[in-house]
Structures are given as C-alpha cells and as structure tokens.
Amino acid sequence: MKKKAIGLLLCFVLLFTACGNLSGREENPTPTPTQTPTPTVTATPSPSPSPTPSPSPSPSPTPTETPGEALKKNLTETTENGLYYDAGYELKYCDSIKPFRLKSGLVLFYDSYDFETDTKICYLVAYDYVTHKKIKTVDDAEMFYNASTMLIDEDKLFLFDSTNMIGYIFDGSLNLLDSFSLALLGRIGGCVPNADGSGILFSNGGKKLYLYDFASKSLSHIFTFEVENVDYVYNLLRLSGNQYYAYMDYYEPETDDYLGCTLIADLDTGKTTVQKDGKILKYSYDEKTGRKIVSEINPYNKIGVFDKDDRLITDINYTDSDEPFYVTPDWERNVLVTCSYNMSDKQGERFMELRCYSLEDGSLVSDAVTHIKSNDYSEFEIDTELGMVYFTSSREDEDYKEIKTLFYWDYSNDGVEPKDDIYVKRTSITQKFSNEIEDKRKALEEKYGIYIYLGYEITDVDFGFDLEVVTDEYDINYTLDLLKSVLSTYPDDFFRQLKTGSIRTLGFYLCGTMTGRNSESVDSAVGLANDLGYERALALNLNYGNQLEGTIYHEVSHWIDRYINSVESFGLIKDFEKGFNALNPIEDYYANSYVDYGVNYEYTYKNEYDSDNVYSVDEYGRTYATEDRARMFEYIMANQYYSSVPLYRYPFLLRKYEYFFKAIRMTFDTTDWPDKTWWENNLDDWIRKYERESRKTYEHLPDDAVGTY
C-alpha cells in the first residue's frame, strides 16, 4: 500500500517594510521573519409611633457543600496545581486502567498482558465511592480477551470484544443487560452513541453504518456512504444533529496513492459529503448553545471553538510533542480540559500535562504537570459535577514502592494559577521613562490589549536583526502619539482578535537602526513583523519618523495575513493565497525572495503608471504576496500616500484591494464593527474617483470571489 497522506478537515465549518518615494529605490525594505454634591435639605421629622419589635432573624443556612468539596476531604493533595490522589483504592498494577463513573460508583477497566502465560488480562471492577470497597467484579476471560470499552451514560457501559466480534451492554451496577453478535459488520471501524441515546452507531470499516437499538436489542444496517474507492472507514464521531463524521482511506487512481479523506453522513437526508483534505481528532457539540469544538491533527495542530453560526470564538495551538489525546469540554463552566504525554529529560519517564482553557478566549485557566513512568498509561474521564478529571498513575509510598493510584485533578479550582504565565510581557527587563511617556504607554496598552517595549526592554528578544536601543524621549513621545493616531483607525476589538492560537500577546518594539544578520533578508529595515513564541511582535525604527505612519500600517498588515492563515485552517476562508494570486497577470508573479528586490518593476505603479497594467505598488510588492498586500495596505491607509499617489486609476490593483478587504471581513468577527472600516471607505472613495476620471464602470469582484467551504 502506498504511503497515506493526511489532510485537514474543514468541510463542516463555514468555516518585511520600507517606505519611501516611488520615484527611487527604497533603501530600507521591511522583512517579515508583529464637584461636591449639594446636600439634601433636611427637616425635623414628625414623631412616629414606636415600631413593632421585629422577630429575631433565623440563622443563615450553612452553605451546601459541593460534591467536589466533599470528595477532596478524603483525598491527599500533591505538590502540583489542583492534583490529588486517593490512597483508599487498592489497585492492581496494570498496563492500562480506564476509569468510569457509573451509578454504582467508580468503575475501572483493567487492561494488561501477562507475557509469562501469553495471556491478555482484562476485567471490570466497581468500587464504592465512600468505602472504596469492591462492589462487583466482572472478569469473564472469554468476554475480555481483546476488549475495548465506551461509556454511554451513568446507566450504560458498552464493551466490545474485537476477537469474537461480540458486544456487551452493562447497566450502572455492572449487570449484563445484553450481548449481541457484531459478525455482520465484518470488522469495526468505529462506534459512538447515536444522537438520541437510543443505541450505538457502528461503522464496519467500509461504506456501511449499523445501529444497535437498546430497546429492540437488534442490530441493523441504516446508512451507506455514497463514495467510491473506499479502503477503510474509522474514527467515527458524532457531529451536531444527526450528522456523523468518519475518516477514511481513499484511493486516488490518478496518483495511484491512498489519501486521507473525510466523510460526513447525514442520517436525516441520507446524503454523504466528501472532503478530501482533512482529519479531526475530536469533535464536541453543545446542545444548549450550539457551540462546537474541533480538534485537528497535523499539519495545523489546533483546537477551534465555534459559536452556533460557525464563527470562530477562539483557537488553541499545540505542537507535535504535546498533541492532546484527551480533549473534552465542560460547557457549564465554559472551559476545555486537555491532557497530553511528553517525554521527560529523565530516562524512563514522561510528563503528563493537564490543561484547562477558557472557551471564551483560549486563555490557560489552570494546569498541572506530573511525572509518570514511560510504560504507565491511563485513559481519562471527566466528571463535570465534581469539576474534576480522574485517571490512574503510579506514585511511591513511604517505602519507595510504586503503587498504582487513582488521581483527581481539580480543573475547576479558580484559585489555581498556571505555572507558565504566558500573559505577561516577554522581556524580563523593565525601564521607566517620564510620567508623560509611561502614562501614554499604559493608556495604549490597556485600550488595545497590546504591550509596548521601550529602551533596553527590546534587548530581551530576537527578531533575527540587531536592534539599536533608543532612549531619546522626544522620539519615543512622537511615536507614541503616532501610534495613538494610527491604532484609532482600526475597529475597537481588532487587535484583540489578532490573538489566535498560541498567540496571546501583541508587542510593539520601539528601537533604532535594525541590522540584518541573514543573507536571505535585507541589510536594514524600517520595520519588522514576526511571531516570537506566544507573542505577535512588531518593531519600528524610530530613525525614520516621517515614514513611521505607513510602516505601522504595513507591519499590521502582516499581522492580518498571519491571522487569516491561522483561521483558514478552520474553514472560515478557503484558498486565500490561491485566490489572491489568481488576480495577478502571470503565474510566477512573486520572486518569493528578498535577494532580488529592486529587479522586478513590470506591472508596478513605478513602471506602468501611464497604463492600466498596474497590479502592485512597486517592485517590493513583487517579492512576496504578503509584501504585496502590506504595501497596498500602507498606501491606502497612510495619509502621506493616500492622497498623493493616484493608485485609484488602476482597476486590476483595485480588485486586489477588494479581494483582501473581503477576506478580512469574512474572517474577523465584525459584529461590533462599523458598516465600513477605514480601509473600506478609502477603497470606495478610490473606486468613485476611478469611475469619475476614467468614465468607466468599475467591475466589482463577485460575492463568492473569496472562497469558503
């Protein structure tokens, strides 16, 4: 079989810079490697009768103890954030233990392998929550030879024996309700409870879905994926309503290769939707609010939170090394709980990282990290009533003996602060300036949710350029005033929306000369934009005060590009770069290099100003598409260029502006934005000037010019 390729699922969600005169070459192009009240008159009151004595108030009732608070009284707290263990359970050391909370109490599914006897050992045990005593054990060797489990609700537990193709349904007290053959399926691709909880939905590894109905105790074929060249269907997940997601291996005859492909089965309409570029790891849906959580795997590694209208609320990035295998929301507390395993720097150990994120802004609410043995594995279960996640792991007792133990993590503890606080300035250096400057800096930071770095504060980060420190208060004061003016032209919540994925802060670095260290870049710059870890950063060269207005707009445009590319992975827009490039006159329009900057003048205003054949502002716009858009944004927003450079005369360039601005409106949440942004008003003004001067009607892009899924 050919190597399989995995793409990105998004079928179900609608989901550097130099300024200078255009008359000559720019010397500093910008790389992108981000009163006391009047007293009331009083009068002598009339005598009033003696008041009737009031009865003594009843004592205030004692606050009701939450289940989580009651449980923690019997737990032992560790040194980690909100992490406890319960020493009352005598758990057998085992390869894997999966916990469930059923009506009867805590149920553990033991899964291990005895190499001496070449035997797989699996069994279910129910424990009383209070006494920790075993209530019941189900250890049928034949039933558990090669079994997996799935919690349906507190009254039902499903166990599947893949060797004998038999399914078992237990009630909340581990009484066997039914057993049924799954031989009809041939093999199991995935299983999930159905929409109304009346049964279990199975994929058979091919095109068919089967439903086991609890009431009739019957298994029947209910759906067939209408798709050709299917090899294997698996990872069955329930989406919203009566729709289900499956991932499949799809054979592509044209390339003679197997590709990752996504299928959406709508059981109400009987239709199959096929998307050949995606895979998701986890999907959660809130029946009350319509919110959704989509967890992707490579290449984007994101968790997206969407509202009922499929608008992205926030997203959370993770790396290959900390890909969470457990992603589950607590909708009532408005948080998302994740768990991942990472390798430790100590041989034979791993880190287990537990994180809790806000579903509103993606911020880290709490976290805990614990060491585990490399062969120690546990599945996790969330208990939203307790506000806890429980799992099993090893700990050492007083005699340094390893004991398999039940752990609880209190993710709902608001008093727990994340250890790695990523919501502060990156730099460890602070420098104070005059009260006037500090007041201006603070006002801008608070209004726009940004950080401004001054003086030696800039030396604690690396843009890939050597940055000169500026302490001259006149230059700093001037730039802060300019920032106030420029930032006011963006919608109120614009900059806060730029914090997507792992980006949690926006930084403006005010410096002097920028000297490049990379031969692939330029020697010096007026501005820089880059992502520095969790910060989207932007550096400004204060030596070019007369060009700073355009530079700020230029660099913020790079931030916009990064934002659009980030949310594109969630389907808010499709093929953004491809659609933009299609508006250019030739296929290989961009050099995709800064080395040849200053060579490509064709199709630019500098070279073609006397014709309609203008697609870019200047030759710098032909280095990269992102520099093309940044140059465009700079010239339509900065006062020094907007009125003096007649870019409105060129309809091909206007169409590229229109495309870019449509993409911005499509991907940002514009609920509280004005009907027209500053840049949209300026573009409308240019189009009117074009039509008036040329006496031609401008041909607008169609509404669907910017692609969606």
Side-chain angles (χ1 to χ4, degrees), residues 145 326 354 585:
Y145 179 74
Y326 181 86
L354 300 154

Side-chain angles (χ1 to χ4, degrees), residues 223-241:
F223 185 87
T224 299
F225 289 106
E226 299 297 336
V227 62
E228 297 179 355
N229 304 324
V230 171
D231 180 53
Y232 189 64
V233 176
Y234 56 100
N235 200 31
L236 189 65
L237 298 173
R238 184 194 162 214
L239 306 182
S240 56

Side-chain angles (χ1 to χ4, degrees), residues 535-563:
E535 182 168 77
R536 188 150 284 162
L538 182 159
L540 299 172
N541 186 339
L542 305 197
N543 293 323
Y544 293 85
N546 64 327
Q547 297 181 23
L548 281 179
E549 181 192 17
T551 301
I552 297 169
Y553 284 121
H554 183 114
E555 303 304 340
V556 171
S557 175
H558 287 314
W559 284 0
I560 295 173
D561 268 2
R562 290 171 184 267
Y563 171 83

Side-chain angles (χ1 to χ4, degrees), residues 358-612:
S358 166
L359 290 179
E360 291 184 351
D361 59 12
S363 61
L364 188 63
V365 176
S366 58
D367 67 351
V369 179
T370 183
H371 286 84
I372 59 173
K373 294 295 181 181
S374 59
N375 62 345
D376 197 6
Y377 177 80
S378 172
E379 296 197 41
F380 289 69
E381 198 64 38
I382 192 170
D383 191 318
T384 55
E385 181 183 356
L386 299 177
M388 291 185 174
V389 167
Y390 40 94
F391 59 95
T392 59
S393 187
S394 299
R395 67 178 179 88
E396 291 183 345
D397 63 11
E398 294 85 352
D399 299 323
Y400 301 101
K401 180 183 178 182
E402 285 189 9
I403 301 174
K404 198 76 169 183
T405 305
L406 182 67
F407 283 84
Y408 294 84
W409 181 48
D410 181 11
Y411 65 83
S412 65
N413 189 344
D414 295 335
V416 175
E417 292 294 335
K419 289 186 173 181
D420 51 337
D421 187 356
I422 62 174
Y423 312 109
V424 297
K425 286 189 174 182
R426 286 183 53 88
T427 179
S428 59
I429 302 171
T430 57
Q431 184 171 359
K432 296 296 182 181
F433 289 85
S434 66
N435 290 339
E436 181 184 10
I437 287 178
E438 291 300 335
D439 288 345
K440 289 180 179 180
R441 168 158 62 169
K442 182 179 179 181
L444 288 170
E445 289 180 338
E446 291 180 350
K447 181 172 182 179
Y448 296 105
I450 62 176
Y451 286 131
I452 299 174
Y453 300 83
L454 305 175
Y456 285 92
E457 295 173 351
I458 70 166
T459 62
D460 210 24
V461 293
D462 186 6
F463 279 88
F465 276 63
D466 294 325
L467 307 184
E468 179 188 25
V469 173
V470 172
T471 58
D472 184 282
E473 295 207 354
Y474 176 85
D475 290 340
I476 294 173
N477 219 338
Y478 169 83
T479 307
L480 291 175
D481 288 340
L482 183 61
L483 272 174
K484 179 180 179 181
S485 174
V486 169
L487 300 189
S488 69
T489 62
Y490 295 87
D492 288 343
D493 63 347
F494 177 85
F495 290 97
R496 287 181 170 83
Q497 290 194 51
L498 288 174
K499 301 174 188 178
T500 59
S502 59
I503 300 300
R504 294 291 170 237
T505 62
L506 304 177
F508 288 77
Y509 292 75
L510 276 52
C511 60
T513 301
M514 305 174 181
T515 306
R517 304 191 223 110
N518 188 342
S519 60
E520 295 298 317
S521 185
V522 294
D523 296 332
S524 60
V526 178
L528 298 168
N530 207 344
D531 285 353
L532 305 176
Y534 58 80
E535 182 168 77
R536 188 150 284 162
L538 182 159
L540 299 172
N541 186 339
L542 305 197
N543 293 323
Y544 293 85
N546 64 327
Q547 297 181 23
L548 281 179
E549 181 192 17
T551 301
I552 297 169
Y553 284 121
H554 183 114
E555 303 304 340
V556 171
S557 175
H558 287 314
W559 284 0
I560 295 173
D561 268 2
R562 290 171 184 267
Y563 171 83
I564 292 176
N565 288 328
S566 172
V567 300
E568 182 171 3
S569 64
F570 286 120
L572 297 186
I573 190 172
K574 182 180 181 182
D575 297 332
F576 168 65
E577 293 289 356
K578 182 178 180 181
F580 185 79
N581 290 338
L583 298 174
N584 290 318
I586 57 176
E587 184 175 351
D588 296 325
Y589 185 75
Y590 300 107
N592 293 318
S593 170
Y594 292 111
V595 176
D596 295 330
Y597 161 61
V599 175
N600 252 331
Y601 289 93
E602 191 177 6
Y603 303 116
T604 68
Y605 169 76
K606 185 178 289 188
N607 192 60
E608 310 280 355
Y609 60 89
D610 59 349
S611 74
D612 283 347

